[in-house]
Amino acid sequence: MRPMAENKTIQNYGDDKIITLEGVEHIRRRPGMYIGRLGNGEKQDDGIYVLLKEIIDNSVDEFSMGFGKNIIVDVDEKSVSVRDFGRGIPLGKVVEAVSVLNTGAKYDDSVFKKAVGLNGVGSKAVNALSLDFSVESYRDGESAYAVFSRGRLKDSGRRPTKEKNGTLVRFTPDDILFVDYSYNLDYVRTMVKNYSYLKKGLTITFNGEPFRSENGLLDLVRDSLGETPLYEPIHLEGEDIEIVLTHGRDYGENIVSFVNGQNTRDGGTHLAALREAVSKTLKEFYKTNFKKDFAPEDIRQGIIGAVSIQIQEPTFEAQTKTKLGSTYMWEKEIENPDGSRTTDKGPTIRSFVNDFVGTNLDNYLHMHKEVVPVLQEKIMSSEQERKEIQGIQKKTRERNRKTSVYNRKLRDGRFHFNEKAPKDRDDMPLRSSIFITEGDSASGTITKARNADFQAVFSLRGKPINCYKESAKKVANNDELQLLISALGVEDEMDNLRYNNIIIATDADDDGMHIRLLVMTFFLKFYPELIRRGHVHILETPLFRVKKGDNIKYCYSPAERDKAVTSFKGSVDITRFKGLGEIDHSEFQDFIGEGMRLSDVSLADEESILDLMEFYMGDNTIDRQNFIKQNLKTEQELDGIDF
C-alpha cells in the first residue's frame, strides 16, 4: 500500500505545481519576510509604520547625500503622503524603481554610501502592500508619475511641471492585509522627531508641525530626560559616530541607539560596543588617576545616553531593522586582477567604537574636571549598594534553596531565550515566555494549558510589595521578588534574560489590577530596560463566554459580548469570567496559544519613570481618581446584562 500512496503523491506533483510569482506578488504572499508583523497600528513595530519609514528613509537618504533640506510628511488615520526636495527618481526608471525587485541606486556606493535601505525592496514592499500607491518624480521642469493598486500598475506617464525637484509618494495600506488599522500619530511624531535629531539641518514637517535639531543627539537626550542629570551631558562627535552620555539616579541603563538614521530599539553590535567602551574607558581613567578599580556594572548603573553610527551596507537581524547584526564598519566583495574574488573588510564596529570612546571620553574628562568627582561619587554609590544587595541576595538564595521554595514557585519551560533553537524550531527564542500569575488556581490552570516546550509559569503568593518608595536593599530582602529575579535570570546581567516574553497574567478584578500595577512598578523601578526592549506584556483573557448550543464565542469586552449576542439571534448562555482559575485549562489553551492577545507595556524614552510611578503608585490624587473612572470598567458595568 505504501508505494501506491507515494506514486499518487508524485503524480499530483506536476508542472502545474511550479509557480512563478510575477513582480511584487511574492511580497503580498509573504509580507512577514519584508516588513515583519502586519498588525493594526496599535504597536510601534506594526507593519504600517514600517511602510511609512521605508518611504521617509528614501527621502532622508537624499538629504544625507546633500540634496534637499526639507521633507513634508502628512498622515491621517489611513493614508500617507511624503514629499522631499532631493534629486528625484530618474524619470525613465520611476515605474521600475517602485515595482521591480532588486532595482535601485542604493547598490551603487558612489550614490548612496551609508543609506538605511540597501536591499532594493523598501518602496516595492510599500507598493505591493498598499491598496493605492502613487509616485511622482520632478526633475528640471518635467515629471514622471505612476499609479498602482496592490502592486499592479494602473497608469503612468510624463508631463511638464513647475514643481521643485524631488519626489512625492502617496499610499494607503491595504485593509485586506492590515485589518481595522489606523496610524497612531504619536508613534509617527516620535519617528519624525528622531529623524530630525539624527540629521542636523534637516527640517521635517509632520502634519504642519516642523521638527528641526541644531545639536543632534544632544537635543534628543536633553529633551528625553525625565530627571535632572547628575552632570551636563557629554557630547562627542566624530566621522561616522556621535555619542551623548550622562548619569541619573534611576536604576538600569537607558541608551538609545541608531544606525544610519534607523532607530535600533533592540540594540546590536554598536550598542554592545559602546557599553563595553564606556566601562573600559572609565575603569582605566579612575584606576590610573585615582587608584579606584570600579566594576563595569557600577559604571553603567543609571547611565543615560544615545549613540549613532554610520556604516556601509548595514546588516540587521530582522527586516524591521531594530537590531544591528553587522560586525564590520564596511564589508565588500571585490574582484582581484586574476579574476578571483575576496572580501575586503573595514575595522570592526567594536574596535571603531572602542578607539573613539577611549580617546575622546578620556580627553573630555581631563578637560572637564568638574565632572570627575560627580561621576565618581555616583559609581561609588552604585558599588556600595550593589555589594549590600548581593550579600542579601546570597542569603535569600541559600534560604530558599534549603526550603525548596524555588521549585514550587517556578514551573519552567524546556527552552529559553538565550539558547540556540533547534533547526526545526528557529522561532523558539522569540516565543519563549514566562507567565507571572497569582494564586494556586490560576497558576494551575496556566500550567496545565501551557506549551511546556517554551512557556514557563511563575506563581506569586498574594500581592508583592509596592516597590515605588522602597529601597533596593529592602527589595533584595523580599523572597518573592528575589525568586522572580532568579527565574528571569537577570540577577547579574540583563543580557542573561531567559525569556523573550514576560507576561503578567492576573484576574480581571480589583485585586488583579492592583497586582498587575505592583509587578509593573517593580520592573519600572529596577529593570526598566526590560520594558524599553519590549519584553513585558499583559495577558488579555476573555471576560465572557457566549454560548448557543455548540457555538461558542469568547469576548474580551462588553462590546464584543453584545456583538456576539446579536449575532446568535436568540437566547444564549453567558458566563462572566472573573478569575483565571474559573476557566478550564482545555479552554485556556486557546488563550495562550497562537492567537494569544497581549498588550505591550511600553515606555517612551522621554517618559519620566518617577513621574509614572508617582501617578500610579504614589499618594492618592484627584488626577488618578479621574483616570480610573475614565478608563476602568466597574464590576456592575461588566456584569450588567440587559437582554
Side-chain angles (χ1 to χ4, degrees):
M1 296 296 292
R2 190 173 187 82
M4 291 179 64
E6 290 178 352
N7 288 336
K8 185 176 180 180
T9 302
I10 292 172
Q11 290 169 3
N12 289 336
Y13 179 50
D15 294 347
D16 61 326
K17 299 299 182 183
I18 304 299
I19 299 173
T20 300
L21 299 178
E22 300 285 338
V24 294
E25 184 61 26
H26 187 270
I27 300 175
R28 290 188 61 82
R29 293 279 191 97
R30 299 287 186 271
M33 292 177 60
Y34 298 91
I35 65 167
R37 56 181 291 130
L38 288 172
N40 62 3
E42 292 182 351
K43 302 179 186 298
Q44 282 183 283
D45 59 351
D46 280 352
I48 61 171
Y49 303 110
V50 179
L51 301 185
L52 171 59
K53 194 185 73 60
E54 291 288 356
I55 300 302
I56 297 178
D57 279 347
N58 290 337
S59 298
V60 171
D61 287 339
E62 279 291 303
F63 170 80
S64 298
M65 295 303 297
F67 301 94
K69 295 183 179 180
N70 295 279
I71 299 173
I72 300 172
V73 180
D74 291 307
V75 181
D76 58 27
E77 286 191 352
K78 298 292 184 181
S79 300
V80 169
S81 170
V82 179
R83 170 71 158 103
D84 69 45
F85 298 88
R87 290 163 291 183
I89 303 169
L91 300 185
K93 293 292 183 180
V94 168
V95 173
E96 291 91 332
V98 299
S99 63
V100 179
L101 292 178
N102 304 319
T103 301
K106 295 180 183 179
Y107 296 107
D108 181 358
D109 284 348
S110 66
V111 181
F112 290 92
K113 292 183 178 179
K114 291 160 186 170
V116 174
L118 291 167
N119 52 18
V121 172
S123 60
K124 291 82 168 173
V126 182
N127 184 0
L129 302 177
S130 294
L131 173 63
D132 298 302
F133 179 95
S134 67
V135 57
E136 186 159 11
S137 175
Y138 310 103
R139 278 195 158 201
D140 302 326
E142 187 179 7
S143 81
Y145 66 91
V147 179
F148 298 81
S149 178
R150 297 190 170 109
R152 295 186 179 277
L153 182 65
K154 297 297 182 181
D155 187 23
S156 66
R158 293 197 186 193
R159 54 195 173 197
T161 183
K162 293 183 179 180
E163 288 279 349
K164 293 181 179 179
N165 286 0
T167 303
L168 171 64
V169 173
R170 294 190 178 99
F171 69 91
T172 302
D174 190 347
D175 54 7
I176 292 178
L177 300 170
F178 305 96
V179 180
D180 295 329
Y181 79 90
S182 63
Y183 280 97
N184 182 321
L185 299 186
D186 288 337
Y187 291 166
V188 180
R189 183 174 288 103
T190 298
M191 181 194 302
V192 169
K193 285 173 65 177
N194 283 341
Y195 277 118
S196 68
Y197 291 132
L198 291 160
K199 300 295 179 181
K200 289 183 287 186
L202 171 64
T203 299
I204 304 182
T205 302
F206 168 57
N207 286 358
E209 181 182 4
F211 292 91
R212 181 185 176 92
S213 172
E214 300 298 337
N215 301 298
L217 291 187
L218 182 60
D219 287 340
L220 183 152
V221 172
R222 283 174 171 166
D223 293 347
S224 299
L225 286 170
E227 60 173 314
T228 302
L230 298 178
Y231 54 89
E232 183 67 17
I234 299 170
H235 190 197
L236 307 175
E237 292 183 273
E239 185 176 358
D240 296 332
I241 188 169
E242 182 180 3
I243 292 171
V244 178
L245 296 170
T246 186
H247 279 77
R249 290 184 171 83
D250 281 348
Y251 291 90
E253 304 171 30
N254 182 17
I255 304 177
V256 188
S257 63
F258 301 88
V259 175
N260 294 9
Q262 166 65 31
N263 184 355
T264 44
R265 292 196 309 274
D266 296 324
T269 50
H270 60 318
L271 181 57
L274 177 66
R275 296 171 74 238
E276 177 188 358
V278 170
S279 300
K280 181 180 178 182
T281 302
L282 293 179
K283 181 180 179 71
E284 291 179 353
F285 177 85
Y286 283 104
K287 190 172 184 178
T288 301
N289 296 285
F290 298 92
K291 309 303 180 187
K292 298 286 187 181
D293 190 10
F294 294 129
E297 57 266 39
D298 299 324
I299 292 171
R300 297 197 306 264
Q301 182 68 271
I303 196 169
I304 304 166
V307 57
S308 173
I309 67 170
Q310 304 283 324
I311 66 177
Q312 290 189 25
E313 301 194 15
T315 300
F316 297 93
E317 293 191 6
Q319 177 61 26
T320 50
K321 303 172 185 174
T322 57
K323 186 173 184 179
L324 180 67
S326 298
T327 301
Y328 298 92
M329 292 296 291
W330 48 269
E331 189 172 359
K332 188 174 182 180
E333 193 176 73
I334 59 174
E335 186 173 344
N336 299 315
D338 62 0
S340 63
R341 303 186 73 85
T342 57
T343 301
D344 187 21
K345 298 178 181 179
T348 65
I349 292 172
R350 180 185 180 191
S351 64
F352 173 78
V353 174
N354 266 278
D355 290 346
F356 176 80
V357 172
T359 299
N360 292 275
L361 181 56
D362 185 78
N363 289 344
Y364 185 95
L365 294 175
H366 279 97
M367 294 172 62
H368 298 79
K369 296 184 178 180
E370 72 280 2
V371 172
V372 175
V374 179
L375 182 52
Q376 179 174 326
E377 182 180 353
K378 165 61 181 173
I379 298 172
M380 291 176 66
S381 174
S382 297
E383 178 185 53
Q384 180 180 355
E385 186 175 56
R386 174 179 60 82
K387 289 180 177 179
E388 291 175 352
I389 291 172
Q390 284 180 337
I392 297 170
Q393 288 176 330
K394 183 178 180 181
K395 293 178 182 177
T396 302
R397 285 196 295 268
E398 290 175 352
R399 183 170 66 250
N400 290 333
R401 192 178 297 114
K402 289 178 181 178
T403 59
S404 299
V405 67
Y406 182 81
N407 293 330
R408 296 199 303 270
K409 304 288 291 182
L410 175 69
R411 283 91 164 183
D412 207 355
R414 300 188 186 99
F415 190 85
H416 302 122
F417 188 34
N418 287 310
E419 295 178 5
K420 188 175 181 180
K423 291 182 179 179
D424 59 337
R425 302 295 295 276
D426 59 359
D427 63 337
M428 289 279 269
L430 296 180
R431 298 174 69 191
S432 60
S433 306
I434 183 169
F435 295 95
I436 301 173
T437 188
E438 188 274 327
D440 294 337
S441 179
S443 298
T445 297
I446 296 181
T447 299
K448 292 177 182 177
R450 65 168 176 157
N451 185 328
D453 281 345
F454 54 88
Q455 290 180 329
V457 182
F458 184 88
S459 179
L460 294 169
R461 185 182 66 252
K463 295 179 180 179
I465 63 171
N466 184 349
C467 296
Y468 169 45
K469 294 183 178 180
E470 301 296 348
S471 68
K473 286 185 286 187
K474 183 164 183 178
V475 171
N477 266 314
N478 184 272
D479 287 358
E480 198 85 355
L481 294 178
Q482 287 309 306
L483 287 166
L484 176 58
I485 293 171
S486 180
L488 295 176
V490 294
E491 294 166 295
D492 302 314
E493 177 60 54
M494 193 64 57
D495 290 339
N496 293 333
L497 178 65
R498 301 174 73 232
Y499 311 95
N500 185 46
N501 303 299
I502 302 168
I503 302 171
I504 304 171
T506 57
D507 291 342
D509 57 15
D510 292 343
D511 283 343
M513 178 63 69
H514 193 202
I515 292 170
R516 178 187 300 182
L517 289 174
L518 289 168
V519 174
M520 287 194 294
T521 300
F522 167 65
F523 287 133
L524 271 173
K525 183 168 184 179
F526 297 108
Y527 296 93
E529 301 101 301
L530 292 176
I531 296 176
R532 287 196 173 97
R533 296 181 189 181
H535 292 299
V536 183
H537 314 274
I538 302 295
L539 176 67
E540 301 294 343
T541 54
L543 295 172
F544 305 97
R545 178 178 59 211
V546 180
K547 182 178 180 181
K548 183 177 183 180
D550 294 332
N551 296 319
I552 297 176
K553 289 188 178 181
Y554 296 99
C555 308
Y556 289 74
S557 68
E560 287 188 22
R561 175 203 62 197
D562 296 344
K563 186 176 180 180
V565 171
T566 301
S567 68
F568 281 140
K569 297 179 180 179
S571 61
V572 296
D573 292 325
I574 299 176
T575 302
R576 161 77 163 99
F577 298 122
K578 295 185 179 181
L580 302 183
E582 294 179 352
I583 307 176
D584 186 81
H585 72 272
S586 60
E587 291 182 279
F588 211 86
Q589 288 175 337
D590 296 332
F591 313 137
I592 60 173
E594 294 294 333
M596 178 166 52
R597 292 196 193 185
L598 297 177
S599 295
D600 296 338
V601 180
S602 60
L603 179 64
D605 295 321
E606 64 271 16
E607 285 188 285
S608 167
I609 292 175
L610 292 177
D611 289 346
L612 282 172
M613 289 192 295
E614 173 62 31
F615 181 81
Y616 288 108
M617 304 306 295
D619 296 332
N620 202 9
T621 64
I622 295 297
D623 287 341
R624 184 165 63 180
Q625 291 175 15
N626 291 335
F627 173 83
I628 292 172
K629 290 177 182 178
Q630 293 169 9
N631 291 275
L632 297 181
K633 296 289 185 182
T634 66
E635 287 293 313
Q636 289 77 14
E637 285 178 296
L638 291 175
D639 290 338
I641 303 172
D642 185 16
F643 308 122

